[in-house]
Structures are given as C-alpha cells and as structure tokens.
Amino acid sequence: MRCEKLGINPRGTPTFSNVLSEVDLNLKRAEYEEILSVINFFVHKMLELMKGIPVLILITDENGCILEMAGDEAIKNVIEQSGIKVGLVFNEHEAGTNSVNLVLEHCQPIQLLGDEHYYEFLGSSACYTVPFKYTDVNNLLGTISIMTAINQHNPFLLAMLCTVVDSIERELMLKKQNRRLHILNQVVIETTRNGIIITDRDGIITEFNKFAEILTGSKKQDVINKPIPDAKTNDFIKEVLQTGKEYEDMELILPAQKGQDELVCLFDAFPIRDENMQIMGAFAQFRDITERYHTQKQINYLAYHDDLTGLPNRRFFTRHIDELLKHGVKEKSIFAVMFLDLDSFKKINDTLGHNNGDALLKLVAERLKTCCNAPNQLVSRMGGDEFTILMQEMTDHTEAIHVAEVIIKAFEKPFAVDGYEFYITASIGIAFYPQDGQNGEMLMKNADIALYRMKEDGKNNYTIFEPSPNNSGIERLTLENSIRKALRLEEFVLYYQPQIDTLTGKIIGTEALVRWNHPTLGLVPPAKFIPIAEETGLIVPLGEWVLRTACIQNQIWKEKGYAPMSVSVNLSSRQFSKQNLVKTITEILHETHIDPQYLELEITESMTMNVEVAIEVLGKLKELGIQICIDDFGTGYSNLYYLKLFSIDRLKIDQSFVRDIMTDSNDADIVATIIAMAHNLGIDVIAEGVETKEQLDFLRSQNCHEVQGFYYHRPLPVEEIEQLLMNTMEIDTKL
C-alpha cells in the first residue's frame, strides 16, 4: 500500500538517486574495515558450505548503503542491470518493498519470497535479510542478505544466516573487547564466556578464569603458578613467548570432560609486551564454538549424504573416487564400481504408495550395508532405487563377484513393510579400474551400461562390463537409438516365407521374418540390425512385437477364409531366458485369439544346453498347445535323446547342409541320418534353403516332405502372401 501511495510502478525498473561517490564509499568502507573483515570471513565459510546453490550475499550499513556484494555472478549481473550495485543506498520510495529497508525499520530477520516483493522483476527471487549489531550497546550496524532463485527457497537459509550473524556479532564483540586490553593492565573479566589464560615470560600461568576452568576441566588452584597442562596449548604459548608469533582463530578440539561431549574452540594467543616492547608474557583465549561447529558439520553431512537412507550420496561417491584416483591406487591393486538397481520398484511405489516405497529403500540400504561392511567397501545411494558400491584395494575380480553374489542371495529373503511381506530382486552392473576406465566418470558410465544390459538380460543377477565389439561407440549408440525409435514409430514389418508340402505343393505354413523399413535407407535386412538388438537387449521388445504381429496376421488370414495354417516365429536366446516368457506368450495368445496349434516357436539348439530349464520351459509352452521346432538343427549340440524329453514337434535342417547335399556326400549322409532318426522319434522334419529341383528330389527320396526356400518362394510381404493364398483357394474351388 505504501508503495502504491508513493506512485511506484511495480512493472517498471527502479531508479536510484542516492549512490555514494567512490570517495565517500571508500571512507565508509574504511569506517567498516574491521566489521567487514569479520563478516567476509564468515561469508566465505558460508559460501563454501552452500557450494552448488546459486546465491548472492549483500552487506549494507545501518543506512542501507550496499558495502559489498559476493557470490553468484549470474544473479549479480541481473541485480546490477536493475541498478542495484555497491554504493547504492536503499530507499523504500525508490526500491519498493524490500527486505533491507524492512529489517532496518523493524530490526529483526525477514524473508521476502517471489511476489511478496513489490517490483515484478523480483518475483522469481527469494531474499533473506538479518540485522547485525554490537551486542554490548545494541546499536544497529547494518544488514546481511542472501538472495537466490525462488525455486531454491528453503527456510533453512534464513536459519543458517541467523546462526552466521550470531557468530559475526560474537566475533565483533570479541574484537571490541580485545581492543580494550592494555599491555600492562589487562584484567581478566570473569563474566566473559571465553576461557582466558595469561602466563609470565617463562610460560607459568598467572591468570586462569572461570571459563578456562569449564573448557579445560582444570581448576584454577591446580594450575596457577604452573606450566599449562595441555601439551598442545603449551607448545603454542612457547612459540608465542620465544618468537612473538601470534595465533588467531585456530580451531582446536578440547578433550571431553567426564559426562560431557568434546568441546570445539577457536584459539587466540599473542605476546604481552612491556613499554619497551619486550615480551613479558602471553595471553591466550578459547572461544567455545561447539554449537556452530556441529551446525556446520551437520550442513556438511547433509550436503554429502542421502537424507532418506543416511548413506553417502552421489556427490560423496564421485568425490571419493576422484580422491582415490588423485592420491593414487596401490601398484597391482584394482577397485570395482558396482551399480545396483531394484527390479520393478515402480510397481511397489504404485501399489503400496511412496511412503512405503521409502520404507523399502531404507530396508534395502540396511541390507546392503550388512552385505558390504568391510573397511574397503562403500555403499551409496545415487537417487531413486539406484545404489552404488565401491570396492577398493582388490587384487583380482573375484572379490567383487563374490560380493555381488552375496547381495543377490540376500535379496532372496522377503522385505516386510507396513504389514506386507514381499520379494524384490536387484540387478547389478560391475566395472573395474583400470581396465574399464581411468577416471570416475568412465567407470560409473560403464558400470551403468553393464547394469542396463543385465536389466535387459533377465534381471535378478549381476554382469561385468564388456566393451562393445563395435569400436565406434557413437555409431553403436546411434544404431541403438534408431532401433528404439523404429520400435516406437512402427518402422518394422514382417515378411513371410511359405512352407510347402512337397507331396501336394500346397502352403502348409509360413515363417515370420522381420525387416526394417527405414525411412531413408529403405528395407534393411536382419543381418544389419539383429546383432545390435541382441547386444543391447532390444531383441526382447522386438521379438514380442514380431510374435504378436505374426499371430494377429495369421488370425486375419483365417478370418478371411484362407485354409488354416501355422505361423513360425523365431525366439531369441534373451527371450527364452526371461522368466516371464510363458506369461508373455499366454497374454499374446489371449490378445490375438489365435488357436495355439497354429503357432510354432522356433528355438536354436544352444538354448537347450541347460537341459533342466529347457524341459521346464518347453513343457509349459506345450501345455499351451504351441508347436515347438528346433531351428538350424545339426549346427549345435543337441542330443537326439533329449529331443524327446523336450517335446519337440519338428526339426528344421539347417540350410548349410541342404546347400551342398548334391556335391558333398558327408552333408548328404548327415541330412539322411537326421531325417531317419527324427522319424523314428516321431518328430517331423522340414528343410530350409531349398533352391534347386535336385535338392528337392533328394529330400523327397529321404521322406522329407516339408521344405522352404527360394525354389518355391522368397520371403514375401503380406500382400503377396495373400495373393498366393487366394490363387490356391481359387484352384481348390475349381477342383
């Protein structure tokens, strides 16, 4: 209201008329020289503690004249552009509602946030201002302000500024008192809150006040006329007496007295001289800063620790690695950086709420600390549900691997939160120094890459970082991003290669084969992108898309009236190893309404190396009614005996054997043996890669009556397959 009455335009920029000349400003600064030296000492400390937070500090005298500005240059530039600079005298009728004038008027701490300022250009700022004074006479000396962006607002800033100003006022008071001490007639004031010790030329105590007793735990009658009992303090006094050296603001930690915590003091010591400037004794004082020390310690702790779990945070972790590398790693010693991420943590938050999610993170932190409690191990929380572990001074990789296995094992036990008991797993990526990086940034990046690969490779385990075989990281990343984008923009298409009954010449099925319809490169063959998809784990979402699309298309053909036929879809090893494979396929069957008997999944022999797992997974798939085919048979390691246990419906003879059956007798014998043994086991056989009539005739002679290959058809897009099916249907109708 006052600003409106003064006619100030809140949308404008203030015009200041009262600015000290350089001469007057220098005189004012000289008058405040001692005060500014004390303030600058504490302001410097405060800015160090607030490193990373953009703030500007303003110091004014009792009339509102800006004596100094320090801190963030960006904020300073914005302020100076509005006319606010050193030497300016704040007046409300020019500056509008501002914290400096309010504090000078009311003499108490004030904060102004956002639109509480009168001028709109200050609407994105937060200001905190506190008065300071000589406490003995209570006369106002000026103000100290913190200015920052409104999104950095925190009531703690005002509280911290009040604490700093309290320390400043105490320092100003001490300096004022020290000036009153005369060389020969210094009097120890028993009411002071500082511990005072005075010695003679030989270091013998002549004065020892009450607070010196409190701080040191020694009684005056026990130390008077004796040397100083504390060895460290005694050494300082000896130096003062022998050389005339002065000590000021030295931080000392005094031993804890019985039933009390340790005390932290600022220590001053200087020589007492006679009229001839000869040293005749020493003066020492202890100023108790324990409260301030612990406040600063707490601020520092919060800056480097996670407030939820109490673990070191990302800043602490990266700084620790940098310090480790800076001071050198022992010869032949390595260290490991491990990234850990909880699997499906988002579901916990969504289901139980964020409070319970936070409770779970605390339990995870405790469990990790239990697993990693050795002196060379450091557990940190990076944020969210991601944790890191640093393992130092190792001689080989096995120690890190062992810890990773211990952690994975520890997560097998359930977590109890708010009456719920549930299981959650973790994935871990590991990078080693020096092989995986020479600096902290590279080690953390590679550990994160390893973690991502583990996530894509089935989760609930650990993996060690391996460099990409592609030497161009940028090229690999570009390809990976392009595949991700292609999945999102539906750039992938399916081609279908007909499978033929050689006795009738009819199409009995198709194999779905993925192609990339790139907007600029055109149709990209699988050999160009499948290896990258396999390596990055994108083969899993791509494989699921292929399976779902093939089932939908096969159902469409059935609904159009074409004769029912099977569609074959290749499973990748990553898909086969995923724990939710059967669930995913079940969901796709329900979504697409395809009859399971018309879906055939092709797996490679290498996927069945773990016989027990293969039997379990394939058994569940067979229960769904799906057909199972071993692809590229003859190139792997399958034992024909196991094929019966796997409930295999069909073998696909690899085209590398079919290609040379007319010229290589060994290949011909292998193909004939596979066909004969498969028939004996009641398993159908299909040959791929048939390109000539001679190959077809040989396969017929061996009773292999299902083939696919260029002799009949190349892989075809949907439209051409439909044309084939339509032609076949027309022929059947005529017959």
Side-chain angles (χ1 to χ4, degrees):
M1 293 294 292
R2 290 192 298 183
C3 293
E4 290 176 354
K5 291 180 180 179
L6 291 170
I8 301 175
N9 180 10
R11 296 180 180 82
T13 302
T15 302
F16 298 103
S17 59
N18 193 353
V19 180
L20 297 186
S21 67
E22 187 173 350
V23 173
D24 290 337
L25 179 60
N26 289 335
L27 290 173
K28 175 63 71 172
R29 279 179 167 165
E31 178 185 341
Y32 271 71
E33 181 179 2
E34 183 181 72
I35 296 172
L36 289 175
S37 69
V38 172
I39 293 174
N40 287 334
F41 172 82
F42 286 95
V43 165
H44 178 71
K45 291 270 190 181
M46 185 167 61
L47 288 174
E48 283 186 345
L49 291 171
M50 298 173 65
K51 191 173 293 183
I53 302 176
V55 298
L56 185 69
I57 309 295
L58 285 81
I59 303 168
T60 76
D61 68 4
E62 77 277 16
N63 298 315
C65 175
I66 300 177
L67 301 178
E68 287 195 9
M69 291 168 51
D72 187 80
E73 289 297 323
I75 300 177
K76 186 177 180 181
N77 289 338
V78 171
I79 291 301
E80 289 181 340
Q81 288 174 10
S82 66
I84 299 174
K85 59 183 179 179
V86 174
L88 168 72
V89 179
F90 274 99
N91 290 308
E92 188 179 15
H93 66 273
E94 294 176 336
T97 302
N98 65 87
S99 58
V100 173
N101 288 130
L102 289 173
V103 167
L104 291 174
E105 180 178 348
H106 299 287
C107 201
Q108 64 181 23
I110 285 178
Q111 66 178 18
L112 285 184
L113 307 176
D115 55 13
E116 293 177 358
H117 294 91
Y118 186 76
Y119 277 106
E120 291 184 1
F121 78 91
L122 292 172
S124 61
S125 65
C127 294
Y128 314 85
T129 303
V130 176
F132 65 96
K133 56 187 178 296
Y134 276 131
T135 55
D136 59 334
V137 292
N138 206 35
N139 60 318
L140 185 64
L141 294 175
T143 70
I144 302 178
S145 301
I146 293 178
M147 186 173 188
T148 186
I150 187 66
N151 60 7
Q152 297 289 340
H153 163 61
N154 191 322
F156 179 72
L157 291 175
L158 185 61
M160 182 178 66
L161 185 57
C162 288
T163 300
V164 170
V165 168
D166 180 63
S167 299
I168 289 171
E169 289 177 340
R170 291 172 68 178
E171 284 297 305
L172 291 174
M173 184 62 190
L174 288 171
K175 288 189 175 292
K176 189 175 182 181
Q177 288 175 344
N178 288 341
R179 287 197 302 270
R180 296 171 181 167
L181 295 176
H182 191 269
I183 294 176
L184 295 177
N185 63 357
Q186 297 177 43
V187 177
V188 177
I189 305 174
E190 288 295 337
T191 56
T192 182
R193 297 187 62 84
N194 300 325
I196 304 295
I197 302 175
I198 297 178
T199 75
D200 63 13
R201 182 66 183 83
D202 298 319
I204 302 301
I205 297 174
T206 59
E207 292 292 347
F208 197 86
N209 77 343
K210 181 175 69 175
F211 278 94
E213 292 182 322
I214 295 172
L215 295 176
T216 65
S218 299
K219 294 297 182 181
K220 182 174 182 178
Q221 61 267 27
D222 296 331
V223 298
I224 204 76
N225 297 322
K226 295 179 181 177
I228 295 175
D230 179 68
K232 192 170 186 179
T233 306
N234 196 35
D235 289 340
F236 288 133
I237 294 300
K238 284 183 178 179
E239 184 76 13
V240 170
L241 294 171
Q242 292 172 5
T243 67
K245 184 175 181 178
E246 297 185 3
Y247 292 97
E248 187 174 3
D249 295 333
M250 291 190 61
E251 193 173 283
L252 297 180
I253 298 180
L254 301 181
Q257 306 303 317
K258 187 175 181 180
Q260 297 180 344
D261 295 329
E262 64 183 14
L263 295 173
V264 184
C265 294
L266 287 181
F267 174 75
D268 300 328
F270 52 83
I272 300 173
R273 301 178 184 272
D274 60 17
E275 63 275 13
N276 298 317
M277 299 305 293
Q278 298 298 309
I279 295 175
M280 56 177 292
F283 172 90
Q285 72 172 353
F286 299 89
R287 286 166 285 149
D288 185 2
I289 61 163
T290 304
E291 182 179 349
R292 189 180 84 202
Y293 172 83
H294 288 300
T295 299
Q296 292 176 343
K297 190 174 181 180
Q298 179 66 12
I299 293 171
N300 188 62
Y301 178 87
L302 292 174
Y304 288 97
H305 287 79
D306 172 46
D307 58 353
L308 176 64
T309 64
L311 292 175
N313 59 14
R314 177 185 290 271
R315 185 184 291 111
F316 185 101
F317 188 80
T318 54
R319 181 178 179 183
H320 190 79
I321 293 179
D322 291 342
E323 288 294 320
L324 180 63
L325 294 171
K326 180 180 178 181
H327 296 296
V329 182
K330 292 182 180 178
E331 188 177 357
K332 296 183 180 180
S333 177
I334 61 176
F335 66 84
V337 174
M338 304 167 66
F339 268 41
L340 179 147
D341 188 87
L342 301 181
D343 300 328
S344 304
F345 178 70
K346 185 177 183 298
K347 292 181 181 178
I348 303 295
N349 266 345
D350 293 343
T351 305
L352 301 181
H354 288 276
N355 288 338
N356 285 327
D358 288 346
L360 172 61
L361 290 173
K362 292 180 182 179
L363 294 176
V364 168
E366 291 302 317
R367 197 166 292 189
L368 289 176
K369 285 194 290 185
T370 301
C371 295
C372 307
N373 58 2
N376 67 329
Q377 298 168 358
L378 171 68
V379 180
S380 304
R381 182 185 177 210
M382 303 301 275
D385 62 332
E386 189 172 67
F387 297 82
T388 54
I389 298 145
L390 176 65
M391 299 187 60
Q392 302 170 222
E393 298 180 5
M394 302 187 305
T395 55
D396 58 44
H397 296 174
T398 57
E399 185 177 345
I401 293 171
H402 171 71
V403 169
E405 291 173 343
V406 168
I407 292 172
I408 296 298
K409 183 73 175 176
F411 274 72
E412 293 178 1
K413 297 179 181 179
F415 290 89
V417 176
D418 194 24
Y420 296 94
E421 187 175 87
F422 55 89
Y423 293 85
I424 189 167
T425 58
S427 298
I428 300 173
I430 309 174
F432 292 99
Y433 171 88
Q435 69 185 52
D436 298 329
Q438 300 290 321
N439 57 62
E441 181 180 359
M442 183 59 67
L443 286 166
M444 293 171 67
K445 174 185 174 184
N446 288 338
D448 200 22
I449 289 173
L451 170 63
Y452 174 78
R453 289 176 180 167
M454 186 67 260
K455 284 281 194 181
E456 294 296 328
D457 202 24
K459 304 179 181 178
N460 191 24
N461 210 336
Y462 69 89
T463 190
I464 298 172
F465 172 76
E466 292 183 3
S468 168
N470 184 348
N471 291 328
S472 174
I474 296 177
E475 181 181 351
R476 176 192 174 282
L477 185 60
T478 301
L479 279 172
E480 181 180 339
N481 290 337
S482 296
I483 295 172
R484 291 182 188 276
K485 183 179 178 182
L487 275 169
R488 190 173 67 253
L489 299 180
E490 299 182 352
E491 294 176 1
F492 290 104
V493 294
L494 287 187
Y495 275 41
Y496 298 86
Q497 186 170 37
Q499 296 174 333
I500 309 297
D501 183 336
T502 61
L503 297 177
T504 63
K506 292 183 177 180
I507 299 174
I508 57 173
T510 61
E511 180 181 3
L513 300 166
V514 66
R515 300 290 186 267
W516 186 358
N517 191 12
H518 196 280
T520 57
L521 301 178
L523 205 62
V524 181
K528 293 288 186 181
F529 64 86
I530 290 295
I532 297 294
E534 285 276 9
E535 180 186 349
T536 60
L538 291 171
I539 195 67
V540 174
L542 178 58
E544 291 179 6
W545 176 86
V546 170
L547 180 60
R548 182 176 285 102
T549 304
C551 289
I552 291 172
Q553 186 59 60
N554 201 55
Q555 188 65 10
I556 289 173
W557 286 332
K558 179 183 176 183
E559 293 170 357
K560 285 186 175 182
Y562 302 134
M565 60 180 178
S566 66
V567 60
S568 295
V569 177
N570 292 279
L571 284 184
S572 69
S573 58
R574 281 182 180 255
Q575 284 177 283
F576 192 75
S577 64
K578 286 182 72 67
Q579 295 179 348
N580 65 344
L581 172 66
V582 176
K583 180 183 177 184
T584 299
I585 293 175
T586 303
E587 291 173 351
I588 290 175
L589 290 174
H590 290 160
E591 288 175 21
T592 61
H593 306 292
I594 188 174
D595 188 336
Q597 67 175 317
Y598 294 120
L599 173 61
E600 180 180 75
L601 298 179
E602 296 190 13
I603 63 173
T604 62
E605 292 180 77
S606 60
M607 296 183 198
T608 65
M609 290 294 291
N610 189 331
V611 176
E612 292 182 2
V613 173
I615 290 174
E616 180 184 358
V617 174
L618 294 176
K620 290 179 180 178
L621 293 176
K622 286 297 294 179
E623 289 175 3
L624 296 176
I626 294 171
Q627 304 294 299
I628 304 296
C629 175
I630 295 285
D631 191 14
D632 300 336
F633 189 80
T635 62
Y637 315 95
S638 284
N639 184 318
L640 285 171
Y641 168 74
Y642 287 131
L643 298 181
K644 197 68 175 177
L645 297 178
F646 294 153
S647 302
I648 298 300
D649 297 289
R650 187 157 63 162
L651 299 181
K652 179 177 282 188
I653 301 174
D654 187 63
Q655 60 183 334
S656 62
F657 295 113
V658 175
R659 184 186 307 115
D660 298 325
I661 54 176
M662 305 309 300
T663 58
D664 190 322
S665 59
N666 289 329
D667 284 353
D669 290 342
I670 290 172
V671 170
T673 301
I674 292 173
I675 295 170
M677 295 185 71
H679 285 329
N680 288 335
L681 291 171
I683 299 174
D684 292 332
V685 180
I686 183 171
E688 67 176 351
V690 178
E691 298 181 354
T692 68
K693 187 176 185 304
E694 290 76 17
Q695 293 169 343
L696 178 62
D697 290 340
F698 176 84
L699 292 167
R700 280 175 174 166
S701 70
Q702 300 300 318
N703 292 320
C704 177
H705 301 303
E706 297 178 8
V707 299
Q708 67 183 82
F710 289 2
Y711 178 75
Y712 284 102
H713 301 286
R714 295 173 178 272
L716 301 171
V718 171
E719 298 79 11
E720 295 185 33
I721 287 288
E722 287 190 355
Q723 188 61 50
L724 277 177
L725 296 174
M726 188 177 296
N727 294 341
T728 301
M729 190 167 61
E730 290 175 355
I731 292 171
D732 291 341
T733 302
K734 291 178 181 179
L735 293 175

